[in-house]
Amino acid sequence: MITIVCGGFFGDEGKGKVAGYLGLRGGYSASIRTGSVNAGHTLTYRGRVWKLRLVPSAFINKDIRLFIARGSLIRIDTLLKEIEETETRGRICVDRYSGVIEKRHVEMEALDEKLRSIGSTFQGVGAATAERVLRRLKLAWEFREIEDLLCDSSPEILDMIERGEEILVEGTQGLFLSLYHGTYPYVTSRDTSAAGILSEIGAGPKHVDQVIVVFKSFVTRVGEGPLEGEISPEDAEKLGLIERGTVTGRLRRVAPFNIELARKAVRINSATQVAITKLDALYREARGVREWGKLPREARRFIEDLEERIGVPITLIGTGEDVEDMIDLRKEKL
Ligand code: IMP
Ligand code: MG
């Protein structure tokens, strides 16, 4: 069956870390990445750090097969570089019908005033998506440089599911950046909901049994658009909540955890589990803790209160950068 990992706020919730952890401890045979290069996942594992824009975060488990989805958009140079950095050649494949972003798409976006006004990452993703809709975009099979990486991902994944294997699907960005369900026009060029993610890989809703919505212990947003309860960069700095974008290096805007948005994200994504990352940003003594009982009392209360208000079990709690800095309550709660 399929597990979908998706973001519940505006991206940068820590999906990479959660997907990496599940890669190690989830019993998955394969992981498939959706979305495109505007979204970056930072992964820290045993002293190494990767900034991933295409390779699935579960690559850290060498026994997992890796796919890039048919509905995703790749950049050839980024892909080849990441495959080298992650040493995944031989177990990663790219769907032959995934779209390819070229230099010209980046150049087209650079001149676009509308994109400037929403704070785009200017990675060419929207421009390439528009061409795909107009049926002008070149697809992966048209590029010789990646000939040896191509596959038909959907039938391969469906075969694995039919054999009873578990598949991890890594979404990108967050629900409120969704083209349909987000804060339009301050959104990205795709549907970032669990259903949208699923449509990119070529499997049906009945193949999904777990949807894990990831929230950070506070909200961040890069680019323009509404952000309720936004606090000044100075205050964010004082509270230790300053972050920068993985792809663009931009300072992220900061707001407190938003329960109303979280509830909405849980409902629209039909979440079966919730992951909360960066608990240590709110409670310093939570840093690196890997057992529920060792969390400070206030941190436990924060999680219990959230769980009650969200109405879905909080099964994974991140307490530090490393993939393994995680409290895993799946056995107790599912
Ligand atoms: P674009 O999709 O790159 O054009 O960006 C549109 C909006 O989505 C901008 O506000 C970006 O900052 C935001 N955005 C796109 N991808 C990500 C991401 O991975 N994390 C956070 N924000 C993103
Ligand atoms: Mg990110």
Side-chain angles (χ1 to χ4, degrees):
M1 297 293 275
I2 288 175
T3 299
I4 299 177
V5 173
C6 55
F9 287 143
F10 300 94
D12 309 312
E13 299 91 352
K15 292 172 294 296
K17 179 197 160 89
V18 171
Y21 178 82
L22 291 170
L24 294 177
R25 302 283 147 73
Y28 295 97
S29 305
S31 181
I32 181 158
R33 168 72 201 256
T34 63
S36 189
V37 292
N38 45 356
H41 293 173
T42 304
L43 197 74
T44 307
Y45 181 51
R46 302 199 167 160
R48 284 192 68 183
V49 182
W50 293 270
K51 306 261 182 213
L52 302 170
R53 295 164 70 186
L54 288 169
V55 170
S57 303
F59 86 88
I60 54 175
N61 179 344
K62 293 193 165 56
D63 296 326
I64 286 188
R65 289 189 57 203
L66 308 166
F67 294 89
I68 293 177
R70 188 172 170 127
S72 65
L73 291 163
I74 62 162
R75 259 186 73 149
I76 308 253
D77 52 353
T78 308
L79 175 71
L80 293 174
K81 188 167 143 268
E82 275 186 23
I83 290 177
E84 291 315 309
E85 284 170 5
T86 55
E87 298 166 34
T88 46
R89 190 170 280 277
R91 64 184 172 105
I92 188 165
C93 74
V94 179
D95 196 286
R96 65 181 79 250
Y97 297 101
S98 60
V100 176
I101 301 171
E102 296 184 74
K103 220 162 98 217
R104 117 192 115 74
H105 297 113
V106 178
E107 289 163 3
M108 277 158 71
E109 288 196 347
L111 305 172
D112 191 319
E113 282 311 314
K114 180 71 200 177
L115 287 184
R116 189 162 312 282
S117 75
I118 66 166
S120 172
T121 62
F122 292 110
Q123 297 300 306
V125 182
T129 301
E131 282 194 0
R132 182 146 193 170
V133 173
L134 294 168
R135 280 131 306 161
R136 290 189 183 132
L137 187 68
K138 282 196 177 171
L139 303 184
W141 64 267
E142 294 173 83
F143 293 80
R144 300 210 60 173
E145 307 94 290
I146 54 168
E147 226 169 32
D148 54 336
L149 292 169
L150 301 179
C151 66
D152 285 320
S153 61
S154 167
E156 289 201 34
I157 284 163
L158 294 170
D159 284 346
M160 293 171 102
I161 293 172
E162 281 159 19
R163 289 198 298 265
E165 295 178 32
E166 298 291 328
I167 311 291
L168 182 65
V169 178
E170 185 174 327
T172 57
Q173 301 150 320
L175 181 71
F176 298 100
L177 289 178
S178 165
L179 185 56
Y180 306 136
H181 309 294
T183 54
Y184 188 89
Y186 301 100
V187 294
T188 190
S189 48
R190 53 190 286 273
D191 179 16
T192 55
S193 71
I197 291 165
L198 189 64
S199 84
E200 289 187 22
I201 70 167
K206 285 211 238 172
H207 295 122
V208 178
D209 71 340
Q210 295 295 329
V211 177
I212 305 180
V213 176
V214 184
F215 300 108
K216 192 155 57 186
S217 65
F218 53 101
V219 184
T220 57
R221 175 165 205 169
V222 281
E224 302 305 313
L227 180 60
E228 212 185 295
E230 182 167 3
I231 59 180
S232 70
E234 295 75 41
D235 287 346
E237 178 90 70
K238 271 185 224 143
L239 295 168
L241 304 180
I242 286 290
E243 297 180 349
R244 279 181 188 279
T246 305
V247 174
T248 57
R250 290 181 292 180
L251 207 60
R252 292 181 185 150
R253 298 158 63 199
V254 178
F257 193 94
N258 187 322
I259 197 81
E260 288 316 311
L261 290 184
R263 275 205 183 115
K264 211 167 150 183
V266 156
R267 294 183 74 193
I268 291 178
N269 289 314
S270 67
T272 60
Q273 301 175 52
V274 161
I276 304 285
T277 61
K278 284 212 164 186
L279 188 62
D280 56 305
L282 300 188
Y283 305 96
R284 305 288 165 213
E285 309 85 89
R287 190 157 185 84
V289 170
R290 297 179 184 186
E291 282 169 55
W292 173 254
K294 293 192 176 153
L295 279 179
R297 186 195 303 263
E298 318 80 73
R300 271 183 280 152
R301 204 175 298 139
F302 174 79
I303 296 288
E304 284 166 348
D305 179 55
L306 277 189
E307 186 171 75
E308 198 179 304
R309 292 164 76 186
I310 294 174
V312 171
I314 297 175
T315 51
L316 296 167
I317 302 166
T319 57
E321 281 96 40
D322 195 277
V323 164
E324 293 184 300
D325 287 335
M326 189 76 92
I327 298 171
D328 186 346
L329 302 170
R330 287 175 299 165
K331 269 204 201 85
E332 287 89 328
K333 293 194 184 177
L334 292 184

